[in-house]
């Protein structure tokens, strides 16, 4: 289960956010000041921090800066007052991954959380076969089949599909896919992700059916695990 730490000194808001995230199936915990948040994030294994900028003692930017200095790469969604939005470069430089201006709507928060909750997929063990709908990926044999039919993929296409299939339905941002598939290679462009998604779709998808690799506008890509819900319409 995804562990999320919500850091917000307005305790009522912190608890409300925790409750909303809890209902979505996240394990959400709260901290009400920067020092506590930093101390916990340094030693505990969170998948995401929802971090308010304005906090007593250490502010949000200082917390992120210290986490990054300590090589803690947990994704950070920074909450800012609208008046601070123009300062967001400072927060990005400090290592925040995304921003959300307060006051925010919960669906917006949840969309950002889904995009960022990006615990790197666990290493695929040899022999752990991934299956979603009629697509089966066998890392041991380096083999992908759709409805029993073998599909030949290049190494990068295979790695991309394996990443997406480890968490069907989860949205992966381009930068996460870059990190996972290309290992954060400098020089590689994030549009390489789009290009390889294009290759993958050409090999994996069937004409006239929606792609199994779905584009989530403004967020990234997700593997659609429920093709059986596809309604072919009256002509079928
Ligand atoms: Ca605050």
């Amino acid at each position: 289960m995804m562990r999320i730490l919500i850091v917000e000194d307005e305790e009522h808001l912190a608890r409300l956010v925790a409750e909303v995230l809890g209902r979505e199936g996240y394990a959400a915990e709260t901290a009400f000041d920067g020092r506590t948040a930093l101390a916990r994030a340094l030693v505990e294994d969170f998948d995401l921090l929802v971090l308010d900028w304005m906090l007593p003692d250490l502010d949000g930017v200082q917390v992120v800066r210290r986490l990054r200095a300590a090589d803690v790469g947990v994704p950070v969604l920074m909450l800012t007052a609208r008046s601070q939005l123009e300062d967001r470069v400072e927060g990005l430089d400090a290592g925040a991954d995304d921003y959300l201006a307060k006051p925010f709507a919960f669906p917006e928060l949840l969309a950002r959380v889904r995009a960022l909750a990006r615990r790197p997929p666990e290493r695929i063990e040899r022999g752990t076969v991934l299956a979603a709908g009629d697509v089966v990926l066998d890392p041991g044999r380096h083999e992908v089949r759709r409805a029993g039919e073998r599909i030949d993929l290049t190494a990068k296409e295979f790695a991309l599909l394996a990443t997406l299939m480890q968490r069907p339905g989860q949205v992966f941002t381009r930068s996460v896919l870059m990190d996972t598939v290309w290992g954060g290679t400098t020089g590689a462009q994030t549009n390489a992700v789009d290009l390889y998604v294009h290759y993958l779709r050409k090999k994996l998808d069937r004409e006239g059916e929606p792609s199994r690799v779905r584009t989530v506008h403004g967020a990234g890509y997700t593997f659609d695990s429920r093709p059986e819900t596809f309604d072919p319409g009256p002509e079928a």
Side-chain angles (χ1 to χ4, degrees):
M1 188 187 266
M2 294 271 179
R3 281 188 79 200
I4 302 179
L5 183 63
I6 297 135
V7 190
E8 166 61 86
D9 56 312
E10 293 162 56
E11 298 190 14
H12 172 74
L13 179 59
R15 291 200 173 95
L16 187 61
V17 170
E19 195 189 310
V20 170
L21 291 175
R23 280 204 297 264
E24 293 293 314
Y26 298 103
E29 297 169 44
T30 51
F32 306 127
D33 65 82
R35 273 188 205 288
T36 307
L38 178 64
R40 292 193 60 186
L42 282 172
V43 296
E44 295 181 53
D45 187 20
F46 290 105
D47 298 295
L48 177 69
L49 259 56
V50 176
L51 180 63
D52 190 34
W53 186 313
M54 297 300 284
L55 292 168
D57 57 64
L58 285 180
D59 70 24
V61 167
Q62 291 171 306
V63 171
V64 181
R65 198 165 277 142
R66 292 188 193 193
L67 284 174
R68 298 305 185 236
D71 237 15
V72 174
V74 60
V76 172
L77 173 60
M78 189 85 86
L79 304 179
T80 63
R82 274 196 195 281
S83 59
Q84 279 178 307
L85 271 181
E86 63 269 24
D87 301 329
R88 65 183 183 277
V89 173
E90 187 192 347
L92 280 176
D93 284 348
D97 298 87
D98 199 3
Y99 278 83
L100 187 58
K102 293 204 287 187
F104 50 82
F106 280 110
E108 173 80 40
L109 173 75
L110 290 171
R112 303 295 181 92
V113 165
R114 275 195 296 272
L116 281 175
R118 64 181 194 192
R119 159 172 280 192
E122 298 88 31
R123 284 191 64 80
I124 312 171
E125 313 240 339
R126 278 183 82 81
T128 305
V129 174
L130 303 174
D134 60 354
V135 179
V136 177
L137 182 146
D138 184 340
R141 293 162 177 250
H142 212 271
E143 192 177 88
V144 175
R145 288 178 183 275
R146 177 157 187 190
E149 201 175 306
R150 194 178 164 149
I151 296 167
D152 286 319
L153 298 180
T154 66
K156 291 291 182 217
E157 291 161 0
F158 188 90
L160 180 61
L161 182 62
T163 302
L164 293 167
M165 279 186 69
Q166 280 189 64
R167 294 173 181 273
Q170 180 180 320
V171 179
F172 291 86
T173 62
R174 287 177 179 78
S175 61
V176 169
L177 292 171
M178 272 310 289
D179 285 352
T180 321
V181 178
W182 280 265
T185 323
T186 50
Q189 306 282 320
T190 48
N191 63 14
V193 174
D194 300 328
L195 188 64
Y196 276 82
V197 165
H198 171 73
Y199 294 152
L200 192 54
R201 282 172 171 164
K202 278 180 76 168
K203 292 182 177 178
L204 194 65
D205 292 336
R206 299 214 176 101
E207 235 179 287
E209 288 182 15
S211 178
R212 303 298 302 275
V213 182
R214 207 154 52 75
T215 304
V216 180
H217 189 67
Y221 294 103
T222 185
F223 190 83
D224 193 349
S225 58
R226 289 169 297 174
E228 62 274 13
T229 61
F230 171 61
D231 178 8
E235 280 169 30

PDB file of all heavy atoms in Angstrom, residues 7-10 52-56 102, ligand 1:
ATOM      1  N   VAL A   7       2.006  16.880   5.256  1.00  0.00           N
ATOM      2  CA  VAL A   7       2.668  17.816   6.173  1.00  0.00           C
ATOM      3  C   VAL A   7       1.986  19.164   6.046  1.00  0.00           C
ATOM      4  O   VAL A   7       2.086  19.843   5.025  1.00  0.00           O
ATOM      5  CB  VAL A   7       4.167  17.938   5.835  1.00  0.00           C
ATOM      6  CG1 VAL A   7       4.874  18.716   6.929  1.00  0.00           C
ATOM      7  CG2 VAL A   7       4.799  16.577   5.622  1.00  0.00           C
ATOM      8  N   GLU A   8       1.280  19.535   7.063  1.00  0.00           N
ATOM      9  CA  GLU A   8       0.453  20.747   7.001  1.00  0.00           C
ATOM     10  C   GLU A   8       0.155  21.170   8.427  1.00  0.00           C
ATOM     11  O   GLU A   8      -0.294  20.358   9.229  1.00  0.00           O
ATOM     12  CB  GLU A   8      -0.836  20.407   6.223  1.00  0.00           C
ATOM     13  CG  GLU A   8      -1.952  21.411   6.325  1.00  0.00           C
ATOM     14  CD  GLU A   8      -1.573  22.771   5.777  1.00  0.00           C
ATOM     15  OE1 GLU A   8      -1.717  22.961   4.551  1.00  0.00           O
ATOM     16  OE2 GLU A   8      -1.146  23.637   6.578  1.00  0.00           O
ATOM     17  N   ASP A   9       0.465  22.441   8.757  1.00  0.00           N
ATOM     18  CA  ASP A   9       0.262  22.885  10.131  1.00  0.00           C
ATOM     19  C   ASP A   9      -1.195  23.227  10.425  1.00  0.00           C
ATOM     20  O   ASP A   9      -1.576  23.344  11.584  1.00  0.00           O
ATOM     21  CB  ASP A   9       1.169  24.083  10.461  1.00  0.00           C
ATOM     22  CG  ASP A   9       0.963  25.237   9.500  1.00  0.00           C
ATOM     23  OD1 ASP A   9       0.958  24.988   8.278  1.00  0.00           O
ATOM     24  OD2 ASP A   9       0.797  26.365   9.964  1.00  0.00           O
ATOM     25  N   GLU A  10      -1.990  23.410   9.379  1.00  0.00           N
ATOM     26  CA  GLU A  10      -3.432  23.536   9.621  1.00  0.00           C
ATOM     27  C   GLU A  10      -3.951  22.119   9.836  1.00  0.00           C
ATOM     28  O   GLU A  10      -4.221  21.390   8.885  1.00  0.00           O
ATOM     29  CB  GLU A  10      -4.134  24.186   8.426  1.00  0.00           C
ATOM     30  CG  GLU A  10      -3.749  25.639   8.209  1.00  0.00           C
ATOM     31  CD  GLU A  10      -4.116  26.109   6.803  1.00  0.00           C
ATOM     32  OE1 GLU A  10      -5.300  25.998   6.427  1.00  0.00           O
ATOM     33  OE2 GLU A  10      -3.207  26.550   6.077  1.00  0.00           O
ATOM     34  N   ASP A  52       3.113  21.154   2.660  1.00  0.00           N
ATOM     35  CA  ASP A  52       2.761  22.570   2.610  1.00  0.00           C
ATOM     36  C   ASP A  52       4.040  23.413   2.626  1.00  0.00           C
ATOM     37  O   ASP A  52       5.024  23.077   3.282  1.00  0.00           O
ATOM     38  CB  ASP A  52       1.885  22.922   3.815  1.00  0.00           C
ATOM     39  CG  ASP A  52       1.286  24.310   3.674  1.00  0.00           C
ATOM     40  OD1 ASP A  52       0.982  24.710   2.534  1.00  0.00           O
ATOM     41  OD2 ASP A  52       1.134  24.998   4.697  1.00  0.00           O
ATOM     42  N   TRP A  53       4.018  24.492   1.864  1.00  0.00           N
ATOM     43  CA  TRP A  53       5.188  25.377   1.818  1.00  0.00           C
ATOM     44  C   TRP A  53       5.340  26.120   3.140  1.00  0.00           C
ATOM     45  O   TRP A  53       6.399  26.125   3.764  1.00  0.00           O
ATOM     46  CB  TRP A  53       5.032  26.356   0.656  1.00  0.00           C
ATOM     47  CG  TRP A  53       6.221  27.223   0.391  1.00  0.00           C
ATOM     48  CD1 TRP A  53       6.961  27.921   1.292  1.00  0.00           C
ATOM     49  CD2 TRP A  53       6.809  27.456  -0.891  1.00  0.00           C
ATOM     50  NE1 TRP A  53       7.964  28.597   0.652  1.00  0.00           N
ATOM     51  CE2 TRP A  53       7.894  28.336  -0.686  1.00  0.00           C
ATOM     52  CE3 TRP A  53       6.509  27.044  -2.190  1.00  0.00           C
ATOM     53  CZ2 TRP A  53       8.684  28.791  -1.740  1.00  0.00           C
ATOM     54  CZ3 TRP A  53       7.300  27.503  -3.232  1.00  0.00           C
ATOM     55  CH2 TRP A  53       8.383  28.367  -3.001  1.00  0.00           C
ATOM     56  N   MET A  54       4.244  26.762   3.597  1.00  0.00           N
ATOM     57  CA  MET A  54       4.314  27.570   4.806  1.00  0.00           C
ATOM     58  C   MET A  54       4.107  26.697   6.028  1.00  0.00           C
ATOM     59  O   MET A  54       2.997  26.221   6.281  1.00  0.00           O
ATOM     60  CB  MET A  54       3.236  28.662   4.769  1.00  0.00           C
ATOM     61  CG  MET A  54       3.405  29.659   3.616  1.00  0.00           C
ATOM     62  SD  MET A  54       4.988  30.540   3.692  1.00  0.00           S
ATOM     63  CE  MET A  54       4.616  31.698   5.005  1.00  0.00           C
ATOM     64  N   LEU A  55       5.193  26.491   6.769  1.00  0.00           N
ATOM     65  CA  LEU A  55       5.134  25.658   7.969  1.00  0.00           C
ATOM     66  C   LEU A  55       5.926  26.348   9.062  1.00  0.00           C
ATOM     67  O   LEU A  55       6.863  27.088   8.775  1.00  0.00           O
ATOM     68  CB  LEU A  55       5.797  24.298   7.703  1.00  0.00           C
ATOM     69  CG  LEU A  55       5.112  23.332   6.736  1.00  0.00           C
ATOM     70  CD1 LEU A  55       6.060  22.188   6.394  1.00  0.00           C
ATOM     71  CD2 LEU A  55       3.819  22.788   7.340  1.00  0.00           C
ATOM     72  N   PRO A  56       5.582  26.086  10.320  1.00  0.00           N
ATOM     73  CA  PRO A  56       6.418  26.630  11.394  1.00  0.00           C
ATOM     74  C   PRO A  56       7.800  25.971  11.367  1.00  0.00           C
ATOM     75  O   PRO A  56       7.950  24.900  10.808  1.00  0.00           O
ATOM     76  CB  PRO A  56       5.652  26.249  12.668  1.00  0.00           C
ATOM     77  CG  PRO A  56       4.650  25.238  12.270  1.00  0.00           C
ATOM     78  CD  PRO A  56       4.446  25.315  10.795  1.00  0.00           C
ATOM     79  N   LYS A 102      -3.285  26.357  -3.126  1.00  0.00           N
ATOM     80  CA  LYS A 102      -4.395  26.327  -2.173  1.00  0.00           C
ATOM     81  C   LYS A 102      -5.275  27.560  -2.395  1.00  0.00           C
ATOM     82  O   LYS A 102      -4.737  28.629  -2.676  1.00  0.00           O
ATOM     83  CB  LYS A 102      -3.855  26.350  -0.741  1.00  0.00           C
ATOM     84  CG  LYS A 102      -3.110  25.089  -0.377  1.00  0.00           C
ATOM     85  CD  LYS A 102      -3.092  24.845   1.128  1.00  0.00           C
ATOM     86  CE  LYS A 102      -2.170  25.781   1.859  1.00  0.00           C
ATOM     87  NZ  LYS A 102      -2.030  25.428   3.297  1.00  0.00           N
TER      88      LYS A 102
HETATM   89 CA1  LIG B   1       0.603  26.106   6.357  1.00  0.00          CA
END
